[in-house]
Amino acid sequence: MTETSDTLQVEFRNVTKLYGAVAAVKELSLGVRRGEFLTILGPSGSGKTTALMLLAGFVAPSSGDIIISGKSVASVPSYHRDQGIVFQNYALFPHLSVRRNLEFPLEMRGMEASERATRVARMLERVHLKEFGDRMPSQLSGGQQQRVALARALIADSPILLLDEPLGALDRNLREQMQGEIKSLHCEFSKTTICVTHDQEEALTLSDRIVVMRAGEIEQIDTPEALYDRPTTRFVASFLGEANFLTDREFKIESDARTSDAMPMIRPERIRIIPPNGRLQADNGEHQFASGTIASMIYAGPLRKYEVRVGSTVVIIREHVAAGQQIFRPGDEVQLEWLRSDIRFVAS
Amino acid sequence: MNELRKIWRVPLGLTIPAFAILLVVFGVPAIQLFLISTNAPSFSITNYHAFFEQPGNILILLQTIKVSVVTTFICLIIGYPTAYLIVNASKTASAALIVLVFIPWLTSGLVRTYAWTVILGDRGLINNVLIGIGIISTPLSLLYNRLAVYIGMVHIVLPIMILPLVSVMYGIDKSLVAAARSMGARPVLAFWRVFFPLSLPAVRSGTLLVFVVCLGFYITPQALGGLSDAMLSNFIAAQLTNSLDFGPIAAEAFILLLIAIIMLSLFGLDLSGTQSQPDSVRKSEYGWASALRTLRRQVGEFVVPLRARRWPKQLYQPVHSGRSWNTLAAIFVILVMMFLLFPGLIVIVMSFSAGAFLEFPPSGFSLKWYRSFFGDSSWTGAFWNSLQIGVMVTVLSTVTGTLAAFGLTRTSSRIRRVLMLIILTPITFPTIVVGVACYLGLVNLGLIGTKIGVVLAHSIGAIAYVVVIVAATLSNFDQRLEQAAKSMRAGPIRTFVRVTLPLIRPGIIGGAVFAFISSFDEVVVTSLVSGFSLRTLPLKMLENMNQQIDPTIAAVGALLVLMPVLWIVALYLTLWRSRRAHEAGLPLAGLADRAEVPSSAAGQRQ
């Protein structure tokens, strides 16, 4: 890690958290830059939630240290840390109105009543809930509750914002809308934001960088694009998007970049299907080919997903639906074509 | 016959047997009682007037209210922190603690009262210990005063306070307190601003239940208090045995009932339980709760400058959690559990005493009091009576109660609420009122002093327990399973036998166990309706407690204590087995979740 501690807002230094003999988080080292949107992505049990709990101060690390704004916070309780948290189920106080919910963090910081009222009014306007200040949380829709939770986390102007599966409880349409909302709030308030999720789409659309975790350890840290385009491990390649692993038996991919335990991988949208008698690219060495049989075809709106059997391997291909395109049916003999440069080698 | 069949098709038809028993034994006589108290048909308030004309009566009434208020208050002070610590303990510890609270609640109140006479008596545990270590030379008189009454009453009603609190506190989302802390609220403040307001509905219902149960207390003040500690119940019971003039008795019963009803409607007892928490939170936004909130807000503004100064200073300051606090909490819980369980244990230990008197610690070990119990035909006869009555009550109330529960869960929620309230009256009204009404009901039927009479009188309470428990199980039962069975061409009867019954069996067994225990321990109503000929075990024990202090009753007490414990073990094993069988039974925590409703109905257990 090349960052110095003044550009880092949050830093994990060799943090381990043991539950009994099981390490939920193992030797975690990670720096989060000021103003960055960092997502911790992983399946359940990967330790991502524990990482967030450690950061929030709800659990203490078994060993290692956590630095926030240059201060060690390993034994600082959550109520002495200045941070806003959006909880998975929002954790809106059911006995307080929206207004009183938003006032709560300000009150804890000893803000005068008049100042609180101004801030709450401004924040309610910002999240388009101006008329809802006197409602109780139970009288709001899921999306509105989500916005109250975000507003409550942002209102005290804490430098750090933590999001725990922020969109998990919303349906698909609302989720896309809220992704936009979170993105714009992040641009506007430029808080250092750490988000925990198992939803890869959420991670890809929101984050500056993504940390993929597996079994308590970091698998890879990178920008969303780099992570999708150049995964370093088989786990990352298959957890983020779909991946075809090209076995030696059928494909025999050779490359200078290939190390002994590396496995060639290609994304489904990088492969083209062409009829067996169709024109083949003049082979200038940039393309590779394989022949197979269509096993299934699924039409999914803008995309068409094929499964093609090549020897004993099934290759997944995604094609954008376009006018005048040839449609293949199960049983059709086809040729597959891809660019040699689209092959990635991942550690298995 | 066809008409009858049609009635059974309507869900409400299933509630007919239960309501028939309730009406004949309790409902109609209660109305009759009211008419008698007003001298119907001439309608006058002379009986009420006569009651309030006597300063002594007013004194007893005020004393009843005062004792109930003080007991309730002590229960709240002890019960709230206990419930809080139970909920926040580790999973195993909290399940174990709930069982430890349940056990005394299930064991006979009569025996537990008796145990206090042993602990506090002149030759009792405390005096013997104090004399033994030489602090005092003559016994302190700890018994037969107000303090003893409070100790005994708090001991008996404390579980009724703790169980609803625990059930509601379990429902409070822990992330809310975490959220408050993350926003800068220190633990005490997070508790006070978030956890406490959310637990208020349980505080309200627990307080009300305990208060109403206390109003009807009869045995404990009589056994532990002095002559001046009598409550209205004792007064009513004494008149019922001595006089034949029903007017004043009816008036007194209704005055007691009126106080209970006023309290219930004033603070709005919500028997619907925890399902609608946000609503019930909102409902509490009137009266004292709202005043309290405004006051708190005002005080809050005072500390604003203080917080403003403190915030930057404390930011990123480490805090080391106090271990001493945890130790203190553990000691507190242990003390409360000892208070709840110790008396029962004392009785068991004492039943093996070799001495000729009741004394603790016993001077030697022997089984002679068990021998004297089993050798005395008046005791064994009473035991048989209790057993027979218990079994009959169990069968009658389990069948009618289960049918009623089925009918109730399949009707609209509005009708259900009303009918549920009615069916719960035998266990929410002050016991003595139920007793007086039952007495009148059995007089109507000519069944005073008969086993059938006692069975009917016990059944109305037992039905209420069965309905509450089976209805709770049914509300978790997915009716689509029945539809699925019917789609596979199973008829209604086969669907019930093959699908519904196996799934709700734990609830029915639980209801049956409660029905048996409630009948086996019942003594207040029994003492009024059993006439002079019929003796149940608790009734004979009560009489012997008053007449002679004979350790045989320790053996009886031990049997009465152990019986429910054995039952609960059997019940738990059944539930546990059924859970293993289809992974969907009631875990013990589930039993506790439902504790609110049965405990809301805990009236009879003194």
mmCIF file of all heavy atoms in Angstrom, chain B residues 25 131 182 192 203 271 283 288 304 308 331 335 391 429 472 492 530 570 594:
data_model
loop_
_atom_site.group_PDB
_atom_site.id
_atom_site.type_symbol
_atom_site.label_atom_id
_atom_site.label_comp_id
_atom_site.label_asym_id
_atom_site.label_seq_id
_atom_site.Cartn_x
_atom_site.Cartn_y
_atom_site.Cartn_z
ATOM 1 N N VAL B 25 -71.662 -21.441 33.941
ATOM 2 C CA VAL B 25 -70.957 -21.478 35.221
ATOM 3 C C VAL B 25 -70.588 -20.082 35.701
ATOM 4 O O VAL B 25 -70.536 -19.821 36.889
ATOM 5 C CB VAL B 25 -69.682 -22.348 35.096
ATOM 6 C CG1 VAL B 25 -68.955 -22.418 36.423
ATOM 7 C CG2 VAL B 25 -70.066 -23.737 34.629
ATOM 8 N N ILE B 131 -30.278 -16.719 65.228
ATOM 9 C CA ILE B 131 -30.009 -17.163 66.600
ATOM 10 C C ILE B 131 -28.746 -18.021 66.631
ATOM 11 O O ILE B 131 -27.891 -17.874 67.503
ATOM 12 C CB ILE B 131 -31.214 -17.939 67.180
ATOM 13 C CG1 ILE B 131 -32.392 -16.984 67.361
ATOM 14 C CG2 ILE B 131 -30.863 -18.605 68.515
ATOM 15 C CD1 ILE B 131 -33.691 -17.656 67.741
ATOM 16 N N SER B 182 -24.306 4.489 17.642
ATOM 17 C CA SER B 182 -23.474 4.958 16.538
ATOM 18 C C SER B 182 -23.699 6.438 16.285
ATOM 19 O O SER B 182 -22.863 7.104 15.700
ATOM 20 C CB SER B 182 -23.774 4.156 15.277
ATOM 21 O OG SER B 182 -24.973 4.614 14.687
ATOM 22 N N TRP B 192 -32.260 4.701 27.558
ATOM 23 C CA TRP B 192 -33.322 5.568 28.035
ATOM 24 C C TRP B 192 -34.131 6.166 26.894
ATOM 25 O O TRP B 192 -35.338 6.309 26.986
ATOM 26 C CB TRP B 192 -32.694 6.658 28.912
ATOM 27 C CG TRP B 192 -33.646 7.689 29.432
ATOM 28 C CD1 TRP B 192 -33.573 9.033 29.219
ATOM 29 C CD2 TRP B 192 -34.788 7.480 30.263
ATOM 30 N NE1 TRP B 192 -34.601 9.661 29.834
ATOM 31 C CE2 TRP B 192 -35.366 8.744 30.494
ATOM 32 C CE3 TRP B 192 -35.379 6.345 30.819
ATOM 33 C CZ2 TRP B 192 -36.511 8.908 31.250
ATOM 34 C CZ3 TRP B 192 -36.528 6.514 31.578
ATOM 35 C CH2 TRP B 192 -37.073 7.782 31.793
ATOM 36 N N VAL B 203 -44.425 -2.762 29.960
ATOM 37 C CA VAL B 203 -44.489 -2.257 31.327
ATOM 38 C C VAL B 203 -45.944 -2.024 31.700
ATOM 39 O O VAL B 203 -46.412 -2.413 32.773
ATOM 40 C CB VAL B 203 -43.692 -0.934 31.462
ATOM 41 C CG1 VAL B 203 -43.946 -0.285 32.805
ATOM 42 C CG2 VAL B 203 -42.216 -1.184 31.253
ATOM 43 N N LEU B 271 -54.463 -7.024 24.849
ATOM 44 C CA LEU B 271 -54.205 -8.463 24.934
ATOM 45 C C LEU B 271 -53.754 -9.044 23.609
ATOM 46 O O LEU B 271 -53.451 -10.208 23.503
ATOM 47 C CB LEU B 271 -55.466 -9.187 25.394
ATOM 48 C CG LEU B 271 -55.724 -9.110 26.891
ATOM 49 C CD1 LEU B 271 -57.105 -9.626 27.208
ATOM 50 C CD2 LEU B 271 -54.689 -9.886 27.674
ATOM 51 N N LYS B 283 -50.207 4.147 20.153
ATOM 52 C CA LYS B 283 -51.368 4.267 21.008
ATOM 53 C C LYS B 283 -51.001 4.845 22.366
ATOM 54 O O LYS B 283 -51.798 5.483 23.017
ATOM 55 C CB LYS B 283 -52.031 2.892 21.198
ATOM 56 C CG LYS B 283 -53.306 2.741 20.393
ATOM 57 C CD LYS B 283 -53.956 1.416 20.704
ATOM 58 C CE LYS B 283 -53.658 0.406 19.631
ATOM 59 N NZ LYS B 283 -53.778 -0.962 20.069
ATOM 60 N N TRP B 288 -50.245 9.964 30.403
ATOM 61 C CA TRP B 288 -48.990 10.140 31.144
ATOM 62 C C TRP B 288 -47.761 9.885 30.300
ATOM 63 O O TRP B 288 -46.721 10.492 30.482
ATOM 64 C CB TRP B 288 -48.996 9.277 32.395
ATOM 65 C CG TRP B 288 -49.171 7.814 32.108
ATOM 66 C CD1 TRP B 288 -50.338 7.148 31.906
ATOM 67 C CD2 TRP B 288 -48.142 6.839 31.983
ATOM 68 N NE1 TRP B 288 -50.099 5.827 31.664
ATOM 69 C CE2 TRP B 288 -48.776 5.599 31.713
ATOM 70 C CE3 TRP B 288 -46.749 6.871 32.082
ATOM 71 C CZ2 TRP B 288 -48.060 4.427 31.536
ATOM 72 C CZ3 TRP B 288 -46.041 5.701 31.909
ATOM 73 C CH2 TRP B 288 -46.690 4.503 31.631
ATOM 74 N N VAL B 304 -28.149 20.245 26.626
ATOM 75 C CA VAL B 304 -27.581 20.509 25.305
ATOM 76 C C VAL B 304 -26.194 21.160 25.376
ATOM 77 O O VAL B 304 -25.247 20.655 24.775
ATOM 78 C CB VAL B 304 -28.565 21.332 24.437
ATOM 79 C CG1 VAL B 304 -27.847 22.032 23.299
ATOM 80 C CG2 VAL B 304 -29.639 20.412 23.882
ATOM 81 N N ALA B 308 -22.662 19.622 24.076
ATOM 82 C CA ALA B 308 -21.883 20.316 23.050
ATOM 83 C C ALA B 308 -20.431 20.445 23.497
ATOM 84 O O ALA B 308 -19.508 20.317 22.694
ATOM 85 C CB ALA B 308 -22.477 21.690 22.791
ATOM 86 N N ILE B 331 -24.938 -10.828 39.928
ATOM 87 C CA ILE B 331 -25.358 -11.012 41.322
ATOM 88 C C ILE B 331 -26.843 -10.695 41.469
ATOM 89 O O ILE B 331 -27.600 -11.430 42.112
ATOM 90 C CB ILE B 331 -24.518 -10.113 42.265
ATOM 91 C CG1 ILE B 331 -23.084 -10.635 42.313
ATOM 92 C CG2 ILE B 331 -25.122 -10.072 43.660
ATOM 93 C CD1 ILE B 331 -22.129 -9.730 43.052
ATOM 94 N N LEU B 335 -29.704 -13.281 42.737
ATOM 95 C CA LEU B 335 -30.533 -13.002 43.909
ATOM 96 C C LEU B 335 -32.017 -13.123 43.572
ATOM 97 O O LEU B 335 -32.790 -13.721 44.324
ATOM 98 C CB LEU B 335 -30.230 -11.603 44.455
ATOM 99 C CG LEU B 335 -28.934 -11.474 45.239
ATOM 100 C CD1 LEU B 335 -28.725 -10.031 45.682
ATOM 101 C CD2 LEU B 335 -28.954 -12.396 46.458
ATOM 102 N N VAL B 391 -57.974 -34.610 35.841
ATOM 103 C CA VAL B 391 -58.062 -35.316 34.561
ATOM 104 C C VAL B 391 -59.347 -34.934 33.825
ATOM 105 O O VAL B 391 -59.337 -34.646 32.624
ATOM 106 C CB VAL B 391 -57.982 -36.849 34.776
ATOM 107 C CG1 VAL B 391 -58.335 -37.590 33.485
ATOM 108 C CG2 VAL B 391 -56.593 -37.228 35.244
ATOM 109 N N PHE B 429 -60.181 -11.613 35.627
ATOM 110 C CA PHE B 429 -60.924 -10.995 36.735
ATOM 111 C C PHE B 429 -60.298 -11.405 38.062
ATOM 112 O O PHE B 429 -59.684 -12.469 38.169
ATOM 113 C CB PHE B 429 -62.385 -11.461 36.718
ATOM 114 C CG PHE B 429 -63.253 -10.722 35.741
ATOM 115 C CD1 PHE B 429 -62.690 -9.876 34.784
ATOM 116 C CD2 PHE B 429 -64.633 -10.853 35.775
ATOM 117 C CE1 PHE B 429 -63.485 -9.189 33.887
ATOM 118 C CE2 PHE B 429 -65.439 -10.174 34.872
ATOM 119 C CZ PHE B 429 -64.864 -9.346 33.929
ATOM 120 N N ALA B 472 -52.389 -19.399 19.916
ATOM 121 C CA ALA B 472 -51.045 -18.915 19.585
ATOM 122 C C ALA B 472 -50.368 -19.867 18.608
ATOM 123 O O ALA B 472 -49.720 -19.436 17.654
ATOM 124 C CB ALA B 472 -50.206 -18.774 20.856
ATOM 125 N N PRO B 492 -61.928 -33.044 4.546
ATOM 126 C CA PRO B 492 -61.686 -32.180 5.698
ATOM 127 C C PRO B 492 -61.204 -32.940 6.919
ATOM 128 O O PRO B 492 -60.296 -32.491 7.624
ATOM 129 C CB PRO B 492 -63.052 -31.538 5.966
ATOM 130 C CG PRO B 492 -63.890 -31.824 4.779
ATOM 131 C CD PRO B 492 -63.275 -32.943 4.019
ATOM 132 N N SER B 530 -66.785 -26.029 47.098
ATOM 133 C CA SER B 530 -66.698 -27.456 47.398
ATOM 134 C C SER B 530 -67.591 -27.874 48.562
ATOM 135 O O SER B 530 -67.633 -29.050 48.905
ATOM 136 C CB SER B 530 -65.253 -27.822 47.717
ATOM 137 O OG SER B 530 -64.862 -27.139 48.872
ATOM 138 N N ALA B 570 -41.922 -33.039 30.962
ATOM 139 C CA ALA B 570 -42.600 -33.887 29.970
ATOM 140 C C ALA B 570 -42.991 -33.063 28.758
ATOM 141 O O ALA B 570 -42.780 -33.462 27.611
ATOM 142 C CB ALA B 570 -43.839 -34.518 30.602
ATOM 143 N N ARG B 594 -44.389 -16.583 23.565
ATOM 144 C CA ARG B 594 -45.826 -16.628 23.742
ATOM 145 C C ARG B 594 -46.213 -16.399 25.191
ATOM 146 O O ARG B 594 -47.363 -16.424 25.539
ATOM 147 C CB ARG B 594 -46.327 -17.984 23.272
ATOM 148 C CG ARG B 594 -47.050 -17.848 21.978
ATOM 149 C CD ARG B 594 -47.096 -19.134 21.263
ATOM 150 N NE ARG B 594 -46.338 -18.988 20.050
ATOM 151 C CZ ARG B 594 -45.461 -19.856 19.634
ATOM 152 N NH1 ARG B 594 -45.231 -20.918 20.324
ATOM 153 N NH2 ARG B 594 -44.814 -19.645 18.531
#
